[in-house]
Amino acid sequence: MNPLLPDMQQTLALLDNMQPDTHLLHVLHALQEALQCIPPAAVPAIAGKLGLPISQVQAVIEFHAFFHQSPRGQYRILFSNCPQCGFQVAGGNLLQHLRSLLHVKGDATREDGRVSIAETSFIGMCDHGPSLLVNGLPVSGMDMEKLDLLAILIERQTPVSSWPAEWMRISERIRLPGLLLQAAQLKGEAVQTGLRLGAAGILHELQQSGLRGRGGAGFGTAQKWLMTRDAQAAKHYVVCNADEGEPGTFKDRALLHLHADTLFEGMTLSALCLNAQHGFLYLRGEYRYLLPHLLDVLAQRRQQGLLGKNILGHADFAFDIEIVVGAGAYICGEESALIESLEGKRGIPRVRPPFPVTHGYLGYPTAVNNVETFLAAAQILRHGSEWFRNCGTAQSSGSKLLSISGDCARPGIYEYPYGTRLAQILQDCGADQPQAVQLGGAAGTLLDPGQFSRTLSFEDLSSSGSLMVIGQQRNLLALAQNFAHFFAHESCGFCTPCRVGSKLLSQYLDKLAAGHATCIDMELALQVCNTASLYSHCGLGKSIGNPLLSLQQYFPQLMAQCLQPDSYTPQFDLDAALFEARRITQRDDAAAHLANDYRHAHS
Ligand code: SF4
């Protein structure tokens, strides 16, 4: 028995204090928060409490990167390994430095149970430089000196709440506000208009505005709400996807922080339109620290008569919103995986059709939109469709929020009318002759300077909102390699083209980055990209080849330079790998080495 594991009495006492209808993810978060892990022996008790199969509870724990069944440290540190703002800095490797200061080996928890340190991908702090999460709280602007102090605080067991307040303060860097960010927060004005117009009027106004979903796919919002509303069922649901996990994106953090009222107003409008009584906001696990603020805003809206029963005095309008917090699974940003997760299952994307508009949460019609879309819908009802339509292009009305990070003088959040050229955006954020731009995160596209005259729009360059500026000094292969590992880690494993393909691609990218790849490796890697794109079950698998394909398309010379002239080279240097064997046997004569002719004969 592990002496660090909490005893069952403690676990059962915590479970006793929870309501039986508490969401599984909340139960798991709460147990882990209190006990530093979810003890294996607690799984049957959790299942019994919630009336779920034991296998389902166990599967959900194993599915999420943030849940652990062996004790993590009293201080749980998660380092972002983003290639742009991660732990590799000019002065060295921050992660290694901290591990060595605190005597932590790899991901293991230190023997005294004080601290554990692990890597994670993209914690939504790319505009704040190297950052980490300590017990779920963001600590930004890390450097070697700050880590020295952080290690002292941990060794002295200083509670995180007593750490320097400025470390935890997240200043939202709104560099260029536009239509949505300049508009005042809404506290019932749009709902009031919606009540006056009725469902048909709301849909008409949204249709006229041309609003399309801001997640990247660009499906018409009015059309989605109409399809959900028209699906005959006893109940309808509204879901806000606040699980932005695309590398390089952090705009939702600012929206949830500064515009939560307007977001909830948009969800309430949607409910009015669909005749829904229940809504969910699915919050990214990395943003769990925003939960108290969001719950406060919800409570205020209930007090103001903007949520709950009799909204704004209308006896036939009742709606409320529940927040469910994820736990480090990128795939849960996919809408059907998100719905599975809301249902307390693993976030495996569903077979579609049927689509959520007819068969969503618990099989009921469900409208899923992201944070920015709900915000835009609310402001359209407040200001009118013309206000929105007058901004942007014919097919892309309105504005788009961008999270801009990387090698530029002014990282932060920018809001542009659709149709703005990439060159203008780069000039505004102070990007000095970048060698490339990664638009749309890992699943997006790497663009060379020849593409900078293109425009941000659904008809040209569509983006979910992440723009990473890549300076001349950066290694583009290392970036693609990081994304390949990201996909291999985040693949849910349901279908073979993605599960196996993402692993193979990460190996090919390792070989390419190490300078051992040949044109045959490249051909094979491109075949994997093609197979994954054609046969994967969901968008994640279809995108795993994008980093390599973009490199091939826009940087063919770089790719050609990286390839070995031979038809085949092994992934590593076999002769060098035998060094240890030669040392132990005290032989270093020619016969103990692999001869060149041997290597070629086997290549
Ligand atoms: Fe899962 Fe990848 Fe298949 Fe999507 S494509 S279902 S993430 S294995």
Side-chain angles (χ1 to χ4, degrees):
M1 159 129 183
N2 186 337
L4 292 175
L5 276 176
D7 66 39
M8 270 309 285
Q9 295 297 341
Q10 204 181 353
T11 309
L12 291 174
L14 282 163
L15 281 174
D16 268 353
N17 286 330
M18 293 177 194
Q19 297 296 322
D21 61 350
T22 310
H23 196 282
L24 172 61
L25 290 177
H26 288 181
V27 172
L28 299 177
H29 275 300
L31 282 181
Q32 179 157 289
E33 187 82 6
L35 308 172
Q36 273 111 58
C37 72
I38 302 155
V43 173
I46 299 169
K49 174 90 186 179
L50 303 184
L52 296 172
I54 293 174
S55 58
Q56 183 174 334
V57 175
Q58 183 63 36
V60 168
I61 295 169
E62 288 174 11
F63 186 79
H64 291 92
F66 288 180
F67 292 141
H68 304 279
Q69 291 199 280
S70 56
R72 303 299 287 164
Q74 178 191 345
Y75 294 89
R76 299 171 296 284
I77 297 176
L78 275 176
F79 244 109
S80 168
N81 65 10
C82 168
Q84 296 282 88
C85 62
F87 45 73
Q88 197 63 49
V89 294
N93 184 307
L94 294 172
L95 175 66
Q96 281 172 12
H97 182 61
L98 188 62
R99 279 188 172 142
S100 115
L101 284 171
L102 289 167
H103 312 289
V104 174
K105 292 191 190 111
D107 283 358
T109 302
R110 205 168 80 176
E111 270 185 15
D112 62 0
R114 175 83 49 86
V115 56
S116 49
I117 305 174
E119 290 179 42
T120 189
S121 32
F122 309 102
I123 59 173
M125 296 288 291
C126 298
D127 53 341
H128 283 71
S131 302
L132 39 82
L133 293 172
V134 183
N135 296 355
L137 294 170
V139 184
S140 61
M142 281 291 123
D143 55 27
M144 295 292 183
E145 290 75 38
K146 256 191 188 177
L147 285 186
D148 292 343
L149 182 51
L150 186 146
I152 292 170
L153 291 169
I154 288 177
E155 293 297 12
R156 289 185 182 157
Q157 297 197 63
T158 310
V160 179
S161 55
S162 304
W163 289 15
E166 66 274 14
W167 286 14
M168 313 286 181
R169 204 169 294 130
I170 302 176
S171 52
E172 297 299 357
R173 294 177 175 151
I174 310 285
R175 304 281 189 183
L176 184 68
L179 272 192
L180 301 182
L181 292 175
Q182 278 174 346
Q185 284 252 52
L186 298 179
K187 289 190 183 285
E189 298 88 336
V191 177
Q192 194 72 264
T193 308
L195 282 164
R196 182 168 49 77
L197 295 178
I202 296 171
L203 289 171
H204 176 75
E205 204 61 25
L206 289 181
Q207 185 74 47
Q208 291 299 110
S209 74
L211 175 64
R212 297 167 69 171
R214 269 33 189 168
F219 195 80
T221 305
Q223 199 185 348
K224 181 181 274 189
W225 290 11
L226 180 64
M227 289 164 82
T228 313
R229 179 169 171 263
D230 283 353
Q232 295 297 315
K235 293 181 191 172
H236 293 71
Y237 286 93
V238 175
V239 172
C240 175
N241 182 348
D243 193 32
E244 71 168 356
E246 204 52 75
T249 187
F250 45 85
K251 65 183 174 55
D252 283 1
R253 184 197 71 212
L255 294 179
L256 293 163
H257 201 178
L258 303 174
H259 291 263
D261 248 313
T262 309
L263 159 66
F264 294 139
E265 184 106 350
M267 292 178 71
T268 312
L269 263 183
S270 180
L272 179 60
C273 201
L274 311 179
N275 198 19
Q277 298 200 348
H278 201 105
F280 292 100
L281 181 129
Y282 190 93
L283 182 66
R284 187 176 188 224
E286 288 82 346
Y287 292 165
R288 194 160 167 244
Y289 57 88
L290 291 172
L291 186 58
H293 160 67
L294 294 170
L295 290 173
D296 272 356
V297 177
L298 284 179
Q300 282 169 26
R301 288 183 74 84
R302 283 182 200 114
Q303 277 180 0
Q304 292 157 352
L306 298 171
L307 282 176
K309 295 197 172 119
N310 303 321
I311 292 178
L312 290 175
H314 285 250
D316 53 351
F317 184 25
F319 175 67
D320 215 326
I321 296 170
E322 183 183 343
I323 301 177
V324 173
V325 185
Y330 169 74
I331 188 58
C332 288
E334 198 274 350
E335 65 175 5
S336 68
L338 185 153
I339 290 171
E340 287 283 295
S341 185
L342 278 180
E343 291 182 4
K345 304 179 203 151
R346 293 178 303 154
I348 305 281
R350 291 178 176 174
V351 174
R352 300 186 301 172
F355 293 95
V357 288
T358 57
H359 296 76
Y361 179 68
L362 300 177
Y364 293 108
T366 304
V368 185
N369 285 110
N370 77 356
V371 175
E372 193 179 339
T373 312
F374 279 121
L375 227 82
Q379 294 292 4
I380 288 166
L381 261 287
R382 171 73 183 87
H383 298 279
S385 53
E386 278 295 298
W387 168 82
F388 196 74
R389 186 97 236 180
N390 287 339
C391 177
T393 71
Q395 292 173 46
S396 312
S397 55
S399 60
K400 180 78 195 97
L401 270 80
L402 290 179
S403 314
I404 300 186
S405 63
D407 303 310
C408 60
R410 293 176 291 281
I413 293 161
Y414 293 71
E415 184 180 2
Y416 283 100
Y418 271 121
T420 306
R421 289 196 188 283
L422 208 45
Q424 177 68 54
I425 298 170
L426 292 171
Q427 187 184 330
D428 292 347
C429 71
D432 184 19
Q433 300 191 323
Q435 68 168 318
V437 158
Q438 179 75 29
L439 188 66
T445 318
L446 183 75
L447 298 161
D448 74 354
Q451 311 301 311
F452 292 174
S453 59
R454 293 175 64 182
T455 59
L456 182 69
S457 59
F458 289 109
E459 51 269 46
D460 189 3
L461 291 172
S462 175
S463 166
S464 56
S466 157
L467 191 155
M468 297 163 99
V469 182
I470 300 166
Q472 295 291 339
Q473 78 285 9
R474 298 273 176 187
N475 180 343
L476 294 179
L477 265 179
L479 183 72
Q481 188 186 13
N482 180 290
F483 288 159
H485 281 272
F486 169 76
F487 283 129
H489 182 258
E490 297 296 345
S491 167
C492 80
F494 172 76
C495 66
T496 309
C498 170
R499 183 184 63 248
V500 178
S502 58
K503 192 78 194 154
L504 284 174
L505 270 183
S506 67
Q507 287 171 356
Y508 281 125
L509 260 300
D510 286 350
K511 193 171 178 182
L512 205 54
H516 295 306
T518 68
C519 56
I520 294 196
D521 290 310
M522 193 63 193
E523 264 175 41
L524 292 171
L526 292 174
Q527 276 177 25
V528 173
C529 296
N530 193 35
T531 305
S533 154
L534 285 175
Y535 301 112
S536 288
H537 174 58
C538 82
L540 188 154
K542 291 181 192 302
S543 312
I544 61 173
N546 288 1
L548 186 63
L549 292 171
S550 300
L551 269 178
Q552 177 78 346
Q553 181 176 358
Y554 295 118
F555 297 89
Q557 282 180 328
L558 170 77
M559 296 304 285
Q561 283 165 13
C562 295
L563 297 178
Q564 293 290 330
D566 304 335
S567 58
Y568 174 77
T569 60
Q571 190 149 5
F572 65 102
D573 185 341
L574 190 54
D575 190 60
L578 292 172
F579 167 81
E580 190 60 14
R582 285 194 297 268
R583 191 186 63 76
I584 291 168
T585 54
Q586 298 188 349
R587 278 191 61 186
D588 200 18
D589 55 290
H593 283 268
L594 289 175
N596 273 343
D597 53 353
Y598 171 89
R599 291 191 220 172
H600 285 147
H602 290 77
S603 68

